[in-house]
Amino acid sequence: MRVSRILGVGATVLALTLSAAACGGPTNNDTGTQSLVDRIRAEKKVTIGIKFDQPGLGLKTGDMYSGFDVDVARYIAGKLGVPEDNITFKQSPSAQREDMIAKGDVDLVIATYTINDQRKAKVGFAGPYFVAGQDLLVRSSNTTITGPDKLNGKKICSVAGSTSAQTIKSKFSTSVGLQQYGGYSECITGLLNGAVDALSTDDIILAGYAAINPGELKVIGKPFTTENYGIGFKRDDTKTRQALNGYIQEMEQDGSWKAALMKNFGAGYKVPQPPAITEK
Amino acid sequence: MDFLGRYDLLGAFWVTVQLTVLSACGAVVLGIVLAAMRVSPVPLMRACGAAYVNVVRNTPLTLVIIGTSLGLYQTLGLTLASDTSTEFIDTNNFRLAVLGLALYTGTFVCEAIRSGVNAVPIGQAEAARAVGLRFGQVLRIVVLPQAIRSVVAPLASVLIALTKNTTIASAIGVAEASLLMKEMLENEGDKGILVFTVVAIGFVVLTLPVGVALGWLARRVGVKR
């Protein structure tokens, strides 16, 4: 008798808990009408997509995350009232960024994400928070490559299928040999042992590699494209866009933006002027 | 779908076909040599054959392919094309990829043929030896023809796997179908599923007829016992 009474009480408690959870559920998860920033402020939690493999921008070493994108992410999360422990970083490779935002795997993407019209059709952008340009990384001893006009007969390395590789193909066509590899690290190996003459991609990414190979590699510093890095999130969320733009401007004005660049790219890096916000 | 017109899909799949056919030829030659080594009466040959097969077969293909580029070409300076040609990088990468794919696939061909050799009744080899044939002749004239005929079906599976494995060649920049897929995904981020589907259909179009044709051949040439 006693056992069944205890079971009965237990069952009642369980039923009440379940029904409470069922009632609470819809109001908490109703993101359809709620703006992203409101939800982040209420939950004090945020999931941010970054790169895991780009020194200086987004790099995972053990359980630690570092880089300029990570610092921007932390600054914005802080402004949204999210404590640092409640930021979840997820890897968002270039080809998966739109899908991850659409599916809700990540709230924000801060991962060298160039703003363009094709992407704007699928995701919302705030920013830009940085303007990069495609540049060249060469061995420090190299004196023949002084700019994009001195590449005739040279071997240029870039990541297979990337925008940078496609630009090399379309801009320089036959005069330049293009070696494509699956990742930047193979290109760096090739550059250091002389199999290729230069690595070409966004200058800020190159600055990261120059910073971890001091004295061996240098960035030429004559960018020949313009890449506006923005923060990506679900489309049609004006409130989020305005809030993020505000935080980016605050970061640029209070010195944290410059400090983050100096921290990640070393003393030798020339910090540019902060870009104007274009996504309004 | 109109965005597909901006990309050379046929050209990319043509490179895939070339990679497949050339590496398949290399793999068959290597596979027969390896199988001969593994069934030979010389212990050292058997050991070398077994060691090669076990090492290469158990190495991830990505490692083999990147090894041909970073190891053979960049570090050891092996070039498979004229260094002065403007097409040097593309030609060299293509040939390195064929080399890597053949070295890797050869082990699977070897094991398929060896299983075929084991399926040939022992009396065949004994009879061949009894009439005075040497080991090489026994293998060439009596055993291998029967063995290969009985393993056409498993070799078809190896060929289909090879066709799909050619996508790894994009890791060293060979402009085959999967590298074009990467470019399309980079440029058309919002059409990911469509891009995947188109490339997947391309591979099915390549591999399905191969499977059907070799299945028919296997039934036709198989030794009825």
Side-chain angles (χ1 to χ4, degrees):
Chain A
M1 277 315 269
R2 221 192 147 105
V3 174
S4 68
R5 207 181 303 153
I6 292 169
L7 280 178
V9 171
T12 318
V13 170
L14 191 67
L16 281 173
T17 322
L18 283 176
S19 62
C23 290
T27 45
N28 279 346
N29 296 334
D30 189 12
T31 50
T33 52
Q34 202 183 11
S35 170
L36 177 65
V37 282
D38 291 337
R39 207 199 75 217
I40 295 172
R41 282 198 189 103
E43 291 181 356
K44 301 205 179 305
K45 268 193 306 200
V46 65
T47 306
I48 301 177
I50 56 166
K51 293 279 177 76
F52 275 12
D53 55 356
Q54 282 183 1
L57 284 157
L59 186 69
K60 187 183 183 193
T61 358
D63 288 336
M64 306 287 289
Y65 301 95
S66 61
F68 180 63
D69 280 346
V70 175
D71 291 336
V72 172
R74 289 204 174 117
Y75 185 92
I76 281 170
K79 288 284 170 188
L80 287 166
V82 179
E84 212 157 285
D85 294 344
N86 284 0
I87 309 173
T88 311
F89 287 114
K90 271 197 181 171
Q91 184 172 25
S92 53
S94 296
Q96 291 169 27
R97 292 177 295 204
E98 288 84 9
D99 275 345
M100 289 180 81
I101 293 172
K103 280 193 222 125
D105 290 345
V106 291
D107 298 320
L108 300 172
V109 166
I110 309 181
T112 66
Y113 204 4
T114 301
I115 302 170
N116 67 29
D117 288 341
Q118 264 159 339
R119 287 172 180 164
K120 272 199 254 185
K122 211 163 185 201
V123 301
F125 277 108
Y129 61 92
F130 192 85
V131 177
Q134 190 171 346
D135 208 329
L136 298 159
L137 181 75
V138 297
R139 288 181 294 279
S140 301
S141 56
N142 189 320
T143 50
T144 53
I145 301 179
T146 50
D149 49 336
K150 293 285 195 311
L151 288 178
N152 267 349
K154 302 291 182 198
K155 293 175 188 142
I156 309 298
C157 192
S158 202
V159 169
S162 66
T163 308
S164 312
Q166 295 183 44
T167 306
I168 295 284
K169 257 197 281 184
S170 59
K171 272 204 160 150
F172 302 103
S173 62
T174 53
S175 56
V176 170
L178 173 65
Q179 168 70 58
Q180 302 188 63
Y181 277 124
Y184 292 114
S185 34
E186 290 98 307
C187 285
I188 294 290
T189 310
L191 191 53
L192 289 174
N193 70 22
V196 297
D197 301 306
L199 160 60
S200 183
T201 186
D202 296 0
D203 49 7
I204 187 169
I205 298 174
L206 298 178
Y209 286 105
I212 56 169
N213 294 288
E216 291 185 276
L217 302 174
K218 63 177 181 191
V219 183
I220 293 297
K222 288 185 185 158
F224 45 92
T225 65
T226 310
E227 312 286 340
N228 293 304
Y229 289 169
I231 302 177
F233 48 87
K234 270 201 179 131
R235 253 195 83 181
D236 304 325
D237 191 343
T238 319
K239 196 171 174 191
T240 301
R241 186 197 309 273
Q242 285 167 349
L244 294 179
N245 281 338
Y247 298 146
I248 291 170
Q249 282 172 319
E250 274 182 54
M251 186 177 183
E252 289 166 354
Q253 281 153 14
D254 70 9
S256 328
W257 189 82
K258 194 177 172 193
L261 284 172
M262 300 277 280
K263 185 184 101 190
N264 288 302
F265 298 105
Y269 180 73
K270 214 169 108 252
V271 178
Q273 282 296 310
I277 302 289
T278 56
E279 302 306 305
K280 283 173 183 144
Chain B
M1 286 296 275
D2 52 339
F3 75 95
L4 288 174
R6 295 202 296 275
Y7 298 95
D8 187 12
L9 258 178
L10 281 181
F13 270 105
W14 175 234
V15 176
T16 297
V17 171
Q18 286 174 301
L19 275 176
T20 309
V21 171
L22 292 174
S23 351
C25 294
V28 165
V29 173
L30 179 66
I32 289 175
V33 172
L34 283 172
M37 283 171 75
R38 292 205 69 178
V39 298
S40 81
V42 185
L44 185 66
M45 299 251 281
R46 282 206 302 273
C48 288
Y52 178 86
V53 167
N54 283 318
V55 169
V56 177
R57 188 174 59 164
N58 294 308
T59 307
L61 179 58
T62 313
L63 232 60
V64 175
I65 297 289
I66 292 181
T68 60
S69 182
L70 292 190
L72 291 182
Y73 163 55
Q74 287 196 9
T75 310
L76 299 176
L78 172 80
T79 51
L80 300 176
S82 158
D83 208 350
T84 51
S85 142
T86 50
E87 301 280 295
F88 166 71
I89 290 182
D90 290 340
T91 318
N92 194 42
N93 283 341
F94 178 83
R95 290 178 182 167
L96 285 172
V98 168
L99 177 70
L101 286 166
L103 290 178
Y104 177 81
T105 313
T107 63
F108 293 91
V109 174
C110 161
E111 291 304 278
I113 292 177
R114 203 163 64 95
S115 73
V117 169
N118 292 336
V120 177
I122 191 75
Q124 296 276 329
E126 283 169 351
R129 264 204 302 279
V131 298
L133 298 184
R134 282 173 285 110
F135 171 73
Q137 292 173 312
V138 174
L139 211 56
R140 207 177 67 238
I141 302 168
V142 179
V143 177
L144 273 186
Q146 297 185 61
I148 291 173
R149 284 168 72 175
S150 65
V151 294
V152 172
L155 284 179
S157 297
V158 173
L159 182 60
I160 288 170
L162 171 64
T163 312
K164 294 181 287 180
N165 283 344
T166 57
T167 51
I168 307 286
S170 69
I172 58 167
V174 178
E176 43 68 65
S178 81
L179 198 140
L180 185 73
M181 184 181 81
K182 282 182 192 162
E183 283 183 7
M184 294 197 317
L185 287 176
E186 175 94 3
N187 301 346
E188 328 281 340
D190 52 331
K191 303 189 187 73
I193 308 259
L194 187 61
V195 170
F196 276 129
T197 313
V198 167
V199 175
I201 290 174
F203 274 98
V204 171
V205 167
L206 286 185
T207 52
L208 208 56
V210 170
V212 171
L214 288 180
W216 171 83
L217 186 69
R219 277 193 304 279
R220 211 183 135 86
V221 301
V223 180
K224 312 273 184 313
R225 292 205 172 94

